[in-house]
Amino acid sequence: MQIQGIQSAATAVRVLTMDAVQKANSGHPGLPMGCAELGVLLYGEILKHNPGDSRWINRDRFVLSAGHGSMLLYSLLHLSGYPLSLDDIRNFRQMGSNTPGHPEYGQTVGVETTTGPLGQGISNAVGMAIAERMLAAAFNTDKNVIDHYTYVLAGDGDLMEGVSAEASSLAGHLGLGKLIVFYDSNRITIEGSTELAFSEDVRKRYEAYGWQTLEADAYDIAGIMKRVETARGETGRPSLILLHSTIAKGAANMAGSHQTHGAPLGAEEIAATKKALGVPDEPFQIPEQAREYFRSRAEDWDKVYRDWQRIFELWSKENPEKRRDWDRRFGAVDLKDAAFPSFEQGQAMATRKASGAVLNAIAPAVPQLAGGSADLAPSNNTLLKDFGSFQKASPEGRNMHFGIREHAMGAIANGMALHGGVLPYCATFLVFSDYMRPSIRLAALMGLPVIYVFTHDSVFVGEDGPTHEPVEHLAALRAIPNLLVLRPADAEETVRCWRTALERAGGPTVLSLTRQNLTVFPKEDDRWAEHIGYGAYIASEAEAGPEAVMVATGSEVNLALDAKAELGSVGKKIRVVSMPCRELFLTAPEQYRRKLIPQEARKVLLESGIAQGWASVVGTDALLVTIERFGESAPAGKIAEHLGFTAQAVAERVKTFLS
Ligand SMILES: Cc1ncc(C[n+]2csc(CCOP(=O)(O)OP(=O)(O)O)c2C)c(N)n1
């Protein structure tokens, strides 16, 4: 090991960090300066990576969970030869730059996941390590084509957040031996010392989760490398390496102060620090020895990379079937061999049940599909009956058992999607989507193809009562940009919605499904399946007019059809539109939208949830058959009567509205 080169590179990280934060007049110098040596060791000695091929599937993953320390990552990506220039670093935090305030997936080459919301990154990493193990089980022979580590740098904030506890607990249970977390224990957060709010023994906690725990000084290079070796040597447990560090280590007067966490050090302190570090007091000056160090490492990286390419080629020749499977898993979802089920008109079936039938029918043809529920699989109907459980002893299983850990489930699913080769789905009751909202938001922000199976999607859950009855949840989910919310109205629509979800590459999809049976209804638009691509279609046409259009989603489409029948001669002039996806409808061609919901027609909206957001479809003078209150604990039929969600009650309201 080139100790001097490593130290010089650590100095370069400190210089780049101080200068970039100072120039931007905002940012977080403390963590990058405190972890500079570790960062250099990661990018110089520990990671198996290729700066020239940042998407290499068998690279080690590195997740900077403490995303506010983004300058650590940017400095290292620059120094180790990723396409991130010094000018990019000079543009830190500026509009359109690829050095945004926090690492953004897709914006900067080499950034493995978007971090910033603390606790998410380490939980994503658990998902990455799960994906690695699943794929290793599927593909490795006497040749290991999938064989990499997932490394994380997490701070006090990450380990205080509940989501990291959920994810770490599952990682311990699953014995993810190739997950290695460095804990930057500088005992400082924004408000001051961790003594203010964080006094548990983190090592003991992780031991209790089933992790191997180690400890080192953050500036003892040989000590860190030794711990990494020990961590790699433990194949049956994830490892936590607690590093005793000093925030803003190296700063002349401010090292150890919480004031370095999230503010520029100031010109005077920077000048004094550079003097102490023995570098010129000029901005963005990188010691030549630092550059030389990383240049000298490139040959080793390249050899490992080329060795893998060679092994992969051999493996492909020896295992043509596995290779075909590989291409299928890492390529775009191909549904041509998927045997989607069909359903009879008049058949009564809950859409959650139809969803389970779809999942099981298509699973053989979509090998990358893997996922599960937060302990509600029997209710969510998400079990893949023929594909076993993913456990420590059965990594070939495709059924995840996330335990009752919704938030981590969301973050882990994001990590699985980020890894590649796995298309994750996860499930719970719609009402508990709140517990995983921060991770759903990140999936949408990153454009990840995660599928959420949210069942029991209305007050018609019934007896479990208001705590279990979603009311505002559809609106809250629809408020997230780039999240598609699909609410099928019967088993047939469920099939079509699953197809939409599976084919969506640029973002996550919610399937909102019923607990209760819904009748498969005849669809008057014979191109209805195609028109779901526009978010809505005519389920029942008016004989004249239409005088009114009833727009409904999910379970309320049957209600609208029944109400129309109740309305007798009035109903003849009423069109019923099924709208499983509002977002798709709002981006459909205007002509189609106008045709479906003519401007001059009166509008009625039916959805068992709050009306918020529906004005974009039905305007402000529509009749709203919605629920603007919490639910009740009672049999579903009684709740429907109580809230006016019966065909008779709706028909009465429509009659009054139209007269
Ligand atoms: C979920 C979440 N809550 C709050 C914040 C705001 N925040 C950013 S950094 C930070 C303190 C983190 O402390 P630590 O992890 O010790 O980082 P260090 O001070 O060592 O840089 C907080 C509260 C956040 N980014 N994410």
Side-chain angles (χ1 to χ4, degrees):
M1 256 193 323
Q2 310 168 46
I3 299 294
Q4 281 183 347
I6 290 166
Q7 276 162 347
S8 177
T11 296
V13 169
R14 293 191 168 98
V15 166
L16 289 174
T17 297
M18 286 190 293
D19 289 345
V21 173
Q22 185 70 20
K23 181 158 187 283
N25 198 25
S26 74
H28 301 77
L31 182 144
M33 294 178 76
C35 292
E37 281 77 5
L38 171 70
V40 172
L41 287 178
L42 274 163
Y43 277 76
E45 308 288 330
I46 299 170
L47 289 181
K48 171 173 71 182
H49 66 137
N50 179 354
D53 182 1
S54 65
R55 304 301 300 161
W56 174 28
I57 191 64
N58 199 41
R59 69 192 181 279
D60 286 338
R61 306 301 195 268
F62 170 63
V63 173
L64 178 67
S65 194
H68 58 279
S70 56
M71 267 314 301
L72 178 72
L73 190 48
Y74 299 150
S75 304
L76 292 160
L77 291 175
H78 170 69
L79 290 167
S80 60
Y82 285 79
L84 193 84
S85 70
L86 208 49
D87 275 343
D88 291 326
I89 288 183
R90 287 193 185 97
N91 271 328
F92 181 47
R93 293 182 154 239
Q94 303 311 303
M95 180 73 79
S97 79
N98 50 6
T99 47
H102 292 82
E104 303 281 348
Y105 176 71
Q107 195 161 338
T108 312
V109 173
V111 166
E112 298 283 4
T113 177
T114 293
T115 50
L118 294 168
Q120 294 288 334
I122 178 173
S123 310
N124 295 160
V126 172
M128 292 175 187
I130 288 171
E132 194 268 352
R133 182 170 276 189
M134 275 184 178
L135 292 166
F139 291 122
N140 289 348
T141 56
D142 57 333
K143 296 183 177 64
N144 288 348
V145 285
I146 293 284
D147 181 14
H148 70 78
Y149 290 93
T150 300
Y151 296 96
V152 179
L153 174 54
D156 294 306
D158 287 300
L159 299 193
M160 282 192 225
E161 290 289 354
V163 65
S164 69
E166 293 179 17
S168 300
S169 162
L170 185 60
H173 167 79
L174 292 172
L176 300 175
K178 284 156 106 178
L179 174 65
I180 299 176
V181 175
F182 297 97
Y183 166 29
D184 172 32
S185 174
N186 61 20
R187 301 170 310 282
I188 291 289
T189 64
I190 294 178
E191 292 183 4
S193 163
T194 48
E195 280 168 24
L196 292 168
F198 193 44
S199 45
E200 75 223 27
D201 185 327
V202 173
R203 257 192 92 167
K204 281 196 185 142
R205 179 157 65 90
Y206 271 76
E207 262 165 40
Y209 291 151
W211 289 49
Q212 164 174 248
T213 68
L214 305 162
E215 209 161 326
D217 180 301
Y219 311 106
D220 171 7
I221 287 170
I224 292 175
M225 291 308 292
K226 202 169 138 224
R227 301 311 184 283
V228 170
E229 217 168 284
T230 311
R232 285 170 172 165
E234 170 60 69
T235 56
R237 289 183 295 168
S239 294
L240 179 86
I241 305 177
L242 184 153
L243 294 176
H244 295 285
S245 66
T246 304
I247 194 163
K249 171 85 170 173
N253 306 298
M254 294 175 76
S257 162
H258 69 102
Q259 280 160 1
T260 66
H261 162 90
L265 298 187
E268 228 171 274
E269 175 73 359
I270 292 176
T273 302
K274 286 187 178 172
K275 195 168 171 205
L277 292 173
V279 292
D281 185 14
E282 282 165 55
F284 302 102
Q285 284 292 312
I286 294 170
E288 186 48 31
Q289 200 177 8
R291 293 228 181 263
E292 182 47 42
Y293 166 69
F294 278 107
R295 265 198 297 270
S296 75
R297 300 295 302 131
E299 204 176 307
D300 283 357
W301 301 333
D302 198 46
K303 185 179 174 317
V304 174
Y305 179 69
R306 277 186 291 115
D307 282 351
W308 182 85
Q309 301 286 356
R310 201 171 35 76
I311 288 169
F312 184 67
E313 257 172 53
L314 279 175
W315 171 87
S316 298
K317 276 198 193 107
E318 289 168 10
N319 305 282
E321 201 152 309
K322 278 188 191 285
R323 176 56 201 264
R324 269 195 297 279
D325 189 24
W326 174 287
D327 290 340
R328 208 152 48 138
R329 287 191 196 221
F330 287 101
V333 173
D334 179 358
L335 297 175
K336 86 176 170 311
D337 296 331
F340 284 90
S342 55
F343 299 95
E344 301 281 308
Q345 272 174 21
Q347 194 178 346
M349 184 185 270
T351 50
R352 64 175 165 137
K353 199 160 171 220
S355 164
V358 175
L359 253 177
N360 277 285
I362 61 163
V366 191
Q368 62 271 54
L369 193 64
S373 168
D375 198 45
L376 288 170
S379 299
N380 302 142
N381 293 79
T382 42
L383 191 76
L384 301 179
K385 294 184 183 74
D386 299 327
F387 293 96
S389 289
F390 178 84
Q391 291 290 348
K392 189 172 179 175
S394 53
E396 68 287 349
R398 285 167 63 182
N399 287 291
M400 289 295 304
H401 299 275
F402 290 103
I404 304 127
R405 304 181 180 99
E406 292 83 4
H407 196 178
M409 172 170 72
I412 289 170
N414 288 353
M416 292 165 75
L418 283 160
H419 184 279
V422 178
L423 175 60
Y425 65 90
C426 55
T428 182
F429 291 154
L430 177 61
V431 79
F432 300 135
S433 62
D434 282 344
Y435 271 49
M436 52 194 296
R437 188 173 175 82
S439 302
I440 298 175
R441 181 175 193 269
L442 284 166
L445 178 60
M446 290 191 263
L448 302 178
V450 178
I451 299 171
Y452 305 104
V453 179
F454 291 151
T455 70
H456 297 61
D457 73 344
S458 71
V459 295
F460 305 120
V461 163
E463 292 85 344
D464 275 338
T467 58
H468 283 54
E469 293 170 0
V471 174
E472 74 280 26
H473 297 75
L474 287 168
L477 290 167
R478 289 184 184 127
I480 298 178
N482 195 33
L483 176 66
L484 220 51
V485 179
L486 301 173
R487 189 163 188 250
D490 67 5
E492 283 189 329
E493 280 195 15
T494 305
V495 173
R496 187 61 186 79
C497 287
W498 254 108
R499 190 182 271 281
T500 302
L502 290 162
E503 285 176 341
R504 181 157 201 242
T509 306
V510 167
L511 291 163
S512 166
L513 304 168
T514 62
R515 174 193 183 212
Q516 74 277 25
N517 281 346
L518 301 176
T519 305
V520 179
F521 56 88
K523 292 148 184 82
E524 285 190 20
D525 178 354
D526 50 15
R527 289 169 64 198
W528 68 271
E530 181 191 332
H531 285 153
I532 280 189
Y534 288 157
Y537 67 94
I538 296 169
S540 171
E541 185 52 297
E543 282 174 23
E547 187 186 353
V549 177
M550 294 171 93
V551 176
T553 78
S555 46
E556 283 65 64
V557 176
N558 264 293
L559 178 64
L561 293 168
D562 292 348
K564 178 179 165 165
E566 275 295 314
L567 280 161
S569 59
V570 184
K572 289 193 169 61
K573 294 186 186 154
I574 292 177
R575 169 187 289 172
V576 176
V577 166
S578 174
M579 191 173 291
C581 186
R582 194 168 82 192
E583 300 86 78
L584 287 175
F585 183 71
L586 289 173
T587 53
E590 186 174 355
Q591 210 185 351
Y592 183 78
R593 283 187 281 135
R594 291 257 173 274
K595 202 178 113 211
L596 234 63
I597 309 178
Q599 232 155 1
E600 60 282 7
R602 310 286 307 271
K603 284 115 190 154
V604 181
L605 171 79
L606 296 94
E607 187 171 75
S608 53
I610 62 171
Q612 194 183 86
W614 276 107
S616 58
V617 172
V618 295
T620 50
D621 53 0
L623 169 64
L624 300 172
V625 182
T626 56
I627 301 173
E628 310 296 326
R629 45 158 292 182
F630 293 118
E632 295 281 353
S633 170
K638 291 281 175 221
I639 293 178
E641 273 171 33
H642 189 68
L643 297 177
F645 272 64
T646 60
Q648 296 81 348
V650 172
E652 277 311 310
R653 286 184 69 188
V654 171
K655 230 185 274 176
T656 311
F657 176 66
L658 293 180
S659 63

